Amino acid sequence: MRLPDLEAWAIFAAVVEHRSFSGAADAIGLSKATVSKAITRLEERIGQSLFARTSRRLALTEAGKPLAEHAKRILAEAQAAEEAARDAASAPTGRVRLATPMSFGISNVAPLLARFLAAHPGIEIDLHCSDARVDIVAEGFDVALRIGDLPDSSLRARRLCSIAAHLVAAPTYLMAHGTPTHPSELTRHRILGYSNVLGPWRFQHADGGDVAIRPQGPLTANSGEALLPTLIAGLGIARLPGFIVGPHIASGEVVEILPEWAPEPIGLHILTPPSTLRPARVEALIAFLSATLHDPCAVRDQPDRAT
């Protein structure tokens, strides 16, 4: 059996990451000639060109694009295996890249990290808060927290908890447009949409029965906080997680409507790249987030309707 050229695959992944032979050579401590020879060797083995080379630009070929993902995975798993062997004999060390939604990351995750870092002084956290749906493999994240529905993918995902959703409007909106008495009436109202939660809005009545609707409205955003000014100004109805809208309910700026109809809870998920091999520092952060974020987010008096 002819063994794969794992060194060449790893060098290929480095060239893709650094977008040049010289950048990859500097990053991994090899000469540019060694890097170039490894790429040539790999291209000869697979019988295809990996890069389109010009004097100014290095770009992946159509054949090279899917192989780049395989190369990244090979390199990541090899690094994880080595790190796991080292970590077994010592405390976890190194950097973990963590992606979270903006509002949730600031309000719920960032306050926890001091405790984690105090317990693991050898670990560094690179926290990335953004409401954009990052590509955790392509952008090199070790862990991501995501709120809402998950599209099918090769990522490893686990539901941590459910976050209570609240259907709210400003008193001025209700005075002008009336207060709905049934979820079906929402289709006649102006709805402010939280695009991170896809699909229809589902409600369950306290006495049983489910209703699903597809409301429409003047504003949709991938950030719940971006909806707040329009919501508070009395220009629509929104369904938002408690960590965003809770303070505004408490202040009276908005009020909950249809209290007997519980909005479907929003899932909080933890995502990791496809590989089952993870360094001890990543496992430590996953275990910490799983333990600390489960209870605070749990919906106490509503069924968990995970899908």
Side-chain angles (χ1 to χ4, degrees):
M1 180 179 69
R2 189 183 185 191
L3 294 176
D5 190 342
L6 296 179
E7 180 185 49
W9 281 104
I11 290 173
F12 173 42
V15 173
V16 172
E17 179 182 358
H18 296 282
R19 301 179 182 179
S20 73
F21 285 17
S22 57
D26 291 341
I28 59 182
L30 297 175
S31 69
K32 183 178 177 181
T34 300
V35 169
S36 180
K37 288 177 182 178
I39 299 301
T40 299
R41 192 169 70 240
L42 185 57
E43 289 176 328
E44 290 174 351
R45 285 177 66 104
I46 64 175
Q48 299 183 81
S49 296
L50 296 170
F51 294 102
R53 304 170 178 86
T54 68
S55 58
R56 296 183 178 181
R57 189 168 176 265
L58 184 71
L60 285 166
T61 62
E62 288 303 311
K65 289 176 182 177
L67 294 176
E69 296 303 316
H70 288 290
K72 289 179 185 178
R73 196 170 302 169
I74 290 169
L75 178 58
E77 292 194 0
Q79 289 173 330
E82 290 185 354
E83 290 172 3
R86 291 196 302 268
D87 292 341
S90 61
T93 60
R95 186 178 69 161
V96 181
R97 300 197 70 213
L98 169 64
T100 73
M102 178 68 76
S103 300
F104 187 78
I106 293 171
S107 64
N108 288 55
V109 178
L112 298 173
L113 294 182
R115 194 193 333 164
F116 177 81
L117 293 172
H120 301 278
I123 297 178
E124 303 170 3
I125 301 294
D126 180 1
L127 177 63
H128 179 87
C129 297
S130 172
D131 288 317
R133 293 206 173 202
V134 299
D135 183 332
I136 69 172
V137 174
E139 298 180 44
F141 287 101
D142 300 295
V143 184
L145 295 173
R146 190 160 292 170
I147 293 172
D149 300 323
L150 297 179
D152 293 336
S153 75
S154 61
L155 301 176
R156 298 173 64 83
R158 180 160 57 90
R159 188 181 179 106
L160 289 183
C161 62
S162 295
I163 299 174
H166 301 270
L167 188 69
V168 294
T172 53
Y173 176 88
L174 299 176
M175 289 177 62
H177 301 277
T179 302
T181 59
H182 189 275
S184 61
E185 297 175 16
L186 293 172
T187 57
R188 301 195 295 270
H189 282 266
R190 296 169 62 82
I191 302 302
L192 310 176
Y194 185 39
S195 60
N196 278 355
V197 182
L198 305 174
W201 286 9
R202 300 183 184 278
F203 298 86
Q204 185 172 55
H205 195 274
D207 296 330
D210 293 285
V211 175
I213 63 166
R214 290 186 178 273
Q216 302 293 322
L219 177 62
T220 301
N222 69 343
S223 167
E225 287 194 341
L227 300 177
L228 288 175
T230 304
L231 175 69
I232 293 169
L235 299 177
I237 294 173
R239 184 189 66 166
L240 291 171
F243 65 85
I244 290 177
V245 78
H248 304 281
I249 295 174
S251 70
E253 293 173 291
V254 299
V255 296
E256 293 197 73
I257 58 178
L258 296 176
E260 68 277 15
W261 288 92
E264 185 177 43
I266 305 169
L268 172 67
H269 303 84
I270 190 163
L271 280 70
T272 56
S275 174
T276 57
L277 288 173
R278 291 191 288 255
R281 61 178 182 275
V282 176
E283 293 286 5
L285 181 61
I286 291 173
F288 174 80
L289 294 174
S290 299
T292 54
L293 291 177
H294 181 74
D295 286 340
C297 296
V299 179
R300 300 284 179 191
D301 297 315
Q302 300 179 30
D304 187 341
R305 297 157 62 185
T307 56

